[in-house]
Amino acid sequence: MGERASSLLSLPETEAIGRPVADVIQAEDLDGAIFGEVDSALRATIDGGATWTSPLSGIAAKGGDHQMFLSINIRPLRRGALVLVADAGPVREILDAHDALVSVTSHELKTPLTAIKATAELLVSYNIEAPERQHMMGDIYKQAERLELLIREILDTSQLDSGRVTLDPAPVDLKETVAEVLDELQSQTTEADLLVKIPALFPMVWADRPKLRQILVNLITNAIKYSPQHTSVVLTATVQDQKVRVAVKDRGIGIKSEDQSRLFKKFQRIPDPATRNTSGTGLGLYIVRGLVELHGGSIDVVSTYGKGSTFAFTLPLAKAALGAGA
């Protein structure tokens, strides 16, 4: 057993050589053990000469105390069989992500499409007075915006995963950018008191302005979405170690400590009764983290369940980036 096999199985080579494969790799499918002495895939190959291959998604297995998914291929030889084992973890992750994408998009697409169809049907079928017609057209527009956001998040995630997102960084006025974002979110900020605390003479940051706007829109929107109406959301910016730290603090429902590590992963929505009826794909914070890291920064969260959360990210100072030859 080579070094890669030892790493995959989390088992030293000295503990594997000379032992039955069933002792080293404990794996089963619906028909039973793969490597057992009786009624196993390995025994069927040895006795009958038929090649056996595991499903594309792999087989759940255990090597030592290590749980994993393996791609297994058993080929007959003149005497015995050749067992080929590979790590199916990456394939499994892709398939799980695909299943999650289908599940999320089908659910998130269905709601606005149903609303648009029902409202449009009323407009076509009935002679509706102008004021109510205007209100219904506004509802259609809002649902169309929701669909547009869903499509944009899926495309952004695809581009991040494939490494196709590029930045065009330049010196950016953070205060000015925050003001633009607040103007864009004006309809939502009526539901919360949004306070901005950035010093008057604040240095420029080194950022891709549209991507920075996207980061800010997402974090502020989340803070508003998961906070009770008419509570305060505070955005602050400080300079620390040649970097700017931007923090968005809310007094919302907060996040349990055991759920916080999952926040920045794809399709992760916290299973909390308080957020059950809140729409979302679970892609927003994944995209934010990707964009922040492309800027050379980092993002973290500090949260107390029932009291609120603070999401903070860093960006390089423009003068520091220029001084380094950026």
Side-chain angles (χ1 to χ4, degrees):
M1 185 170 72
E3 183 178 340
R4 290 187 63 185
S6 295
S7 175
L8 175 61
L9 301 174
S10 293
L11 191 68
E13 184 175 354
T14 54
E15 295 184 20
I17 292 176
R19 292 172 59 187
V21 66
D23 290 350
V24 177
I25 304 174
Q26 301 166 30
E28 294 186 2
D29 67 357
L30 295 176
D31 296 323
I34 307 299
F35 303 119
E37 289 296 321
V38 181
D39 295 330
S40 68
L42 177 58
R43 176 51 57 187
T45 299
I46 293 173
D47 294 343
T51 297
W52 186 90
T53 303
S54 63
L56 176 64
S57 58
I59 290 286
K62 183 178 179 183
D65 295 326
H66 180 60
Q67 296 287 346
M68 63 208 147
F69 283 94
L70 299 178
S71 173
I72 302 171
N73 185 275
I74 307 175
R75 301 178 183 178
L77 299 175
R78 286 187 178 181
R79 297 179 59 185
L82 173 66
V83 179
L84 303 174
V85 178
D87 183 6
V91 174
R92 187 84 180 193
E93 288 179 6
I94 292 171
L95 293 175
D96 287 347
H98 175 269
D99 291 344
L101 176 61
V102 171
S103 176
V104 168
T105 53
S106 61
H107 178 268
E108 290 297 318
L109 282 169
K110 185 177 180 180
T111 302
L113 279 175
T114 301
I116 290 172
K117 183 179 178 181
T119 307
E121 186 176 357
L122 289 172
L123 289 170
V124 170
S125 303
Y126 298 94
N127 184 19
I128 298 172
E129 297 295 328
E132 188 176 356
R133 174 179 289 268
Q134 187 71 20
H135 177 74
M136 294 171 73
M137 292 297 290
D139 287 341
I140 289 177
Y141 180 77
K142 287 180 181 178
Q143 296 299 335
E145 281 190 318
R146 182 174 169 182
L147 284 175
E148 183 183 32
L149 175 61
L150 171 62
I151 293 168
R152 187 166 64 243
E153 285 185 338
I154 293 172
L155 291 175
D156 286 345
T157 299
S158 175
Q159 290 183 326
L160 280 170
D161 288 345
S162 62
R164 289 183 286 123
V165 177
T166 58
L167 299 182
D168 184 19
V172 174
D173 188 322
L174 180 63
K175 291 183 68 174
E176 185 178 289
T177 306
V178 169
E180 291 175 358
V181 168
L182 296 189
D183 186 59
E184 179 181 333
L185 298 177
Q186 187 173 10
S187 62
Q188 295 184 48
T189 54
T190 58
E191 301 174 8
D193 297 323
L194 188 53
L195 306 176
V196 178
K197 297 181 179 181
I198 303 178
L201 299 176
F202 201 76
M204 294 279 197
V205 298
W206 185 252
D208 181 306
R209 192 182 187 103
K211 300 294 191 299
L212 175 56
R213 284 171 54 93
Q214 187 175 354
I215 293 167
L216 291 168
V217 166
N218 190 292
L219 293 181
I220 295 172
T221 301
N222 272 2
I224 296 171
K225 183 191 298 186
Y226 295 108
S227 296
Q229 289 191 1
H230 309 302
T231 55
S232 61
V233 173
V234 182
L235 185 147
T236 60
T238 55
V239 177
Q240 300 176 357
D241 300 325
Q242 296 299 303
K243 287 192 174 185
V244 169
R245 184 178 185 273
V246 181
V248 178
K249 180 179 181 179
D250 64 60
R251 295 181 181 175
I253 60 175
I255 305 154
K256 295 177 181 178
S257 56
E258 61 267 27
D259 292 327
Q260 292 177 22
S261 62
R262 300 165 42 208
L263 283 173
F264 299 103
K265 297 180 180 179
K266 280 188 290 188
F267 306 113
Q268 293 297 319
R269 301 200 66 221
I270 304 305
D272 191 296
T275 63
R276 187 172 296 148
N277 296 322
T278 304
S279 64
T281 61
L283 292 173
L285 288 175
Y286 175 79
I287 293 169
V288 165
R289 187 192 68 176
L291 295 178
V292 168
E293 290 178 350
L294 280 174
H295 282 85
S298 61
I299 185 167
D300 60 73
V301 60
V302 176
S303 184
T304 302
Y305 187 62
K307 295 185 178 180
S309 306
T310 299
F311 285 84
F313 66 95
T314 60
L315 293 171
L317 285 168
K319 63 180 182 180
L322 291 170

